[in-house]
């Protein structure tokens, strides 16, 4: 049974449906995001062992490169949200994947600190892929499952940040073994072509097998364009002026921002604190991202569940609870001096941080439906702002990573309380209830037709 009628938003997720536009988009959007994340963080696990020594980088330059790569994404996410409104998510993703392939492969030609910094800044643009993924799945899935749809595509995509921790050291070693690298220190250079080539392949698939909406591309169904794309620029400003958007901006910085920061520093943390080698540290660091297989989906699914009994306010209450738990778990992780306990508490922290991300984007689609791209872009940029602030603190304070983690955990607990300021009008709550009722009526109608056909 297909997830939905072909021209309507999907009311259920059938992972084994590859025929409907909605589910093809679901799978290709998370795969594209996975590859962008993989390429975005491909340098991190190789930084201390190969890239740093090969480029003769100082500790400050390594942190600056991370800040540049993550910081550029702040602006890219704001731009890409509006681009989705104007030309559609299909074209936006295809163009971004091609650009990503070029800059990831191009980073291998860096020959000094300045060219390396420029290459890392260019790579940071592909971090905007998250906004397209959330935009596209929101266009394809109905409110009763949009939370888990957004959370699952984002979570499986985020998994790329964990997989790259384990895979890039192996790929780099393989390049040396196959004779594509001149030395141990230069093996990272040919390794960058692997994710780049795969990104080009997925760009082709995205162009060929997805549509902007269930009814077709924006060119084919112009009524599906957002009002912002039709010239009502005031709607973008309405998103900017909505304080709920900025609360979610801060909250996303407290969850996704930390995920970005940990993805960039986890392997280094285990190498320095526990004196592990590159491969072992990378494998352990990959466990942090591995929780994306289900944790972010769980956060979105529970957001949908809370809304059934508590309405839109129920989604917010769940977000506050899980973000508070995330902060507490990070404080615990920062205090662990035994490797085994550090790994366990890191996994617990990972579960909560990714559930908080899913919970955040189970709220986002209901904030300002007329400027979905703008809201998704602003909130998504909050994650990168958070990561930059964490890295700047580490760079300027001189604090150790473990103490920095403790301070960040305290900050997350405080930020979680801001979520209590996200309110919805009674009209918004009533509209959500009415929309849910219409969905249930439509599902009953479809079931009746199927029974008659049988």
């Amino acid at each position: 049974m297909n997830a939905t009628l072909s021209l309507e938003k999907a009311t259920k997720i059938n992972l084994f449906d590859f025929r409907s536009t909605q589910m093809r988009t679901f799978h290709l959007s998370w795969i594209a995001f996975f590859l962008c994340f993989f390429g975005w963080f491909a340098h991190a696990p190789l930084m201390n062992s190969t890239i740093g020594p090969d480029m003769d980088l100082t500790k400050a330059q390594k942190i600056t490169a991370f800040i540049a790569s993550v910081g550029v994404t702040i602006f890219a996410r704001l731009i890409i949200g509006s681009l989705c409104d104007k030309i559609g998510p299909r074209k936006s993703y295809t163009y971004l994947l091609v650009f990503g392939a070029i800059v990831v492969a191009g980073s291998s030609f860096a020959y000094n600190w300045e060219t390396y910094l420029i290459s890392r800044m260019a790579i940071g643009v592909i971090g905007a892929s998250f906004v397209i993924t959330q935009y596209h799945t929101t266009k394809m899935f109905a409110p009763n499952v949009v939370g888990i749809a957004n959370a699952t595509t984002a979570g499986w995509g985020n998994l790329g940040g964990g997989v790259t921790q384990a895979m890039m050291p192996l790929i780099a070693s393989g390049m040396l073994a196959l004779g594509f690298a001149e030395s141990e220190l230069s093996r990272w250079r040919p390794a960058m072509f692997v994710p780049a080539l795969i990104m080009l392949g997925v760009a082709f698939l995205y162009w060929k097998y997805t549509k902007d909406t269930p009814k077709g591309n924006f060119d084919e169904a112009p009524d599906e364009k957002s009002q912002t794309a039709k010239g009502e620029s005031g709607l973008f400003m309405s998103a900017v002026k909505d304080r709920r958007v900025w609360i979610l901006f801060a909250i996303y910085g407290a969850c996704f921002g930390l995920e970005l920061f940990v993805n960039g520093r986890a392997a280094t943390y285990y190498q320095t604190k526990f004196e592990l080698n590159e491969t072992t540290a990378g494998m352990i660091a990959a466990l942090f991202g591995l929780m994306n297989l289900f944790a972010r989906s769980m956060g979105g699914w529970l957001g949908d569940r809370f809304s059934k009994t508590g309405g839109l306010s129920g989604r917010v209450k769940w977000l506050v609870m899980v973000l508070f738990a995330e902060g507490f778990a990070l404080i615990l992780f920062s205090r662990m001096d035994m490797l085994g306990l550090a790994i366990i508490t890191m996994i617990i922290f990972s579960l909560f941080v990714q559930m908080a991300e899913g919970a955040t984007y189970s709220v986002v689609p209901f904030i300002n439906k007329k400027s979905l791209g703008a809201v998704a872009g602003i909130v998504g940029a909050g994650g990168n702002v958070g990561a930059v602030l964490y890295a700047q603190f580490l760079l300027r304070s001189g604090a150790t990573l473990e103490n920095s983690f403790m301070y960040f955990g305290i900050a997350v607990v405080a930020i979680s309380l801001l979520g209590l300021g996200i309110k919805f009008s009674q009209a918004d709550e009533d509209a959500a209830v009415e929309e849910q009722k219409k969905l249930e009526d439509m599902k009953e109608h479809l079931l009746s037709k199927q029974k008659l056909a049988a």
Side-chain angles (χ1 to χ4, degrees):
M1 180 174 65
N2 287 339
T4 180
L5 295 173
S6 60
L7 299 182
E8 300 292 341
K9 289 187 175 184
T11 57
K12 64 180 293 186
I13 297 174
N14 181 356
L15 294 177
F16 301 102
D17 172 18
F18 300 102
R19 298 182 61 185
S20 69
T21 300
Q22 297 89 333
M23 287 309 302
R24 284 204 308 268
T25 300
F26 175 93
H27 285 297
L28 283 170
S29 65
W30 78 256
I31 291 171
F33 186 29
F34 178 99
L35 286 171
C36 287
F37 230 74
F38 191 102
W40 190 14
F41 284 93
H43 287 243
L46 302 173
M47 181 57 72
N48 279 353
S49 59
T50 59
I51 298 176
D54 186 40
M55 300 294 299
D56 197 24
L57 303 179
T58 65
K59 178 182 177 181
Q61 287 174 332
K62 293 174 186 177
I63 297 175
T64 300
F66 171 81
I67 292 173
S69 184
V70 174
V72 165
T73 312
I74 298 169
F75 305 101
R77 288 189 172 190
L78 292 173
I79 294 170
I80 210 75
S82 296
L83 189 66
C84 285
D85 285 332
K86 291 177 181 178
I87 67 172
R90 171 175 167 265
K91 289 181 179 178
S92 298
Y93 230 146
T94 302
Y95 299 160
L96 188 64
L97 284 165
V98 172
F99 174 81
I102 294 170
V103 296
V104 170
S107 69
S108 65
F109 296 103
Y111 59 89
N112 58 18
W113 160 239
E114 289 76 17
T115 55
Y116 181 71
L117 179 63
I118 292 171
S119 72
R120 288 295 298 272
M121 290 176 67
I123 289 173
V125 173
I126 63 178
S129 54
F130 167 76
V131 175
I132 312 177
T133 294
Q134 298 297 273
Y135 186 101
H136 215 171
T137 49
T138 298
K139 283 288 186 184
M140 290 290 175
F141 291 88
N144 67 314
V145 293
V146 71
I148 188 171
N150 280 349
T152 303
T153 52
W156 290 0
N158 277 0
L159 187 61
V163 172
T164 196
Q165 301 282 347
M167 290 302 299
M168 283 308 294
L170 296 176
I171 292 172
S173 296
M175 293 295 108
L176 182 63
L178 293 172
F180 290 107
E182 295 180 358
S183 67
E184 178 74 15
L185 292 184
S186 66
R187 61 196 172 98
W188 68 274
R189 296 179 183 274
M192 293 301 156
F193 282 85
V194 175
L197 290 172
I198 301 174
M199 289 169 79
L200 286 177
V202 174
F204 170 77
L205 295 176
Y206 213 92
W207 179 267
K208 185 175 178 65
Y209 293 108
T210 70
K211 298 284 187 181
D212 289 323
T213 74
K215 294 180 180 179
N217 294 320
F218 282 2
D219 296 338
E220 303 163 349
D223 290 343
E224 291 297 302
K225 279 192 177 184
S226 73
Q227 294 301 311
T228 302
K230 294 177 181 178
E232 297 184 20
S233 59
L235 290 177
F236 178 81
M237 291 308 299
S238 73
V240 172
K241 293 176 181 178
D242 192 332
R243 67 184 181 88
R244 298 173 301 174
V245 173
W246 295 105
I247 292 174
L248 288 170
F249 175 94
I251 285 174
Y252 206 58
C255 51
F256 185 65
L258 269 176
E259 180 176 4
L260 291 179
F261 182 78
V262 174
N263 272 331
R265 304 302 297 170
T268 298
Y269 180 71
Y270 283 105
Q271 284 175 349
T272 54
K273 182 169 183 175
F274 297 103
E275 299 182 349
L276 302 178
N277 61 40
E278 175 192 88
T279 302
T280 304
M283 290 291 184
I284 294 173
L287 295 175
F288 177 78
L290 190 62
M291 297 303 103
N292 272 301
L293 276 172
F294 64 91
R296 189 157 182 163
S297 300
M298 186 183 298
W301 179 77
L302 287 171
D304 291 337
R305 297 299 97 188
F306 270 76
S307 72
K308 284 198 169 182
T309 55
L312 299 179
S313 297
R315 292 180 184 269
V316 175
K317 289 176 183 177
W318 162 239
L319 172 57
V320 171
M321 287 189 293
V322 73
L323 193 67
F324 184 93
E326 173 204 322
F328 186 72
L330 180 55
I331 294 171
L332 285 179
F333 171 60
S334 72
R335 299 298 90 194
M336 295 298 123
D337 293 323
M338 295 178 60
L339 179 60
L341 290 176
I343 294 172
I344 292 171
T345 51
M346 180 192 71
I347 291 173
I348 294 172
F349 162 64
S350 177
L351 287 170
F352 284 121
V353 75
Q354 289 155 24
M355 282 196 291
E357 293 163 7
T360 301
Y361 271 83
S362 77
V363 175
V364 164
F366 302 95
I367 295 294
N368 189 331
K369 293 184 178 181
K370 292 182 178 180
S371 278
L372 175 62
V375 175
I378 292 170
V379 176
N384 296 79
V385 170
V388 168
L389 292 177
Y390 301 138
Q392 283 283 9
F393 177 86
L394 179 66
L395 181 63
R396 297 181 182 277
S397 70
T400 62
L401 262 177
E402 55 190 304
N403 285 336
S404 296
F405 285 147
M406 182 182 69
Y407 302 144
F408 298 157
I410 295 171
V412 170
V413 170
I415 291 171
S416 70
L417 301 179
L418 291 177
L420 299 175
I422 300 175
K423 305 292 185 182
F424 291 93
S425 67
Q426 189 57 50
D428 289 335
E429 294 282 5
D430 292 342
V433 171
E434 182 63 25
E435 193 164 14
Q436 181 65 33
K437 185 177 183 302
K438 287 180 179 179
L439 285 171
E440 291 174 355
D441 290 343
M442 184 179 74
K443 288 170 71 175
E444 288 182 6
H445 177 67
L446 287 173
L447 286 172
S448 297
K449 288 183 67 176
Q450 289 167 357
K451 287 179 180 177
L452 288 173

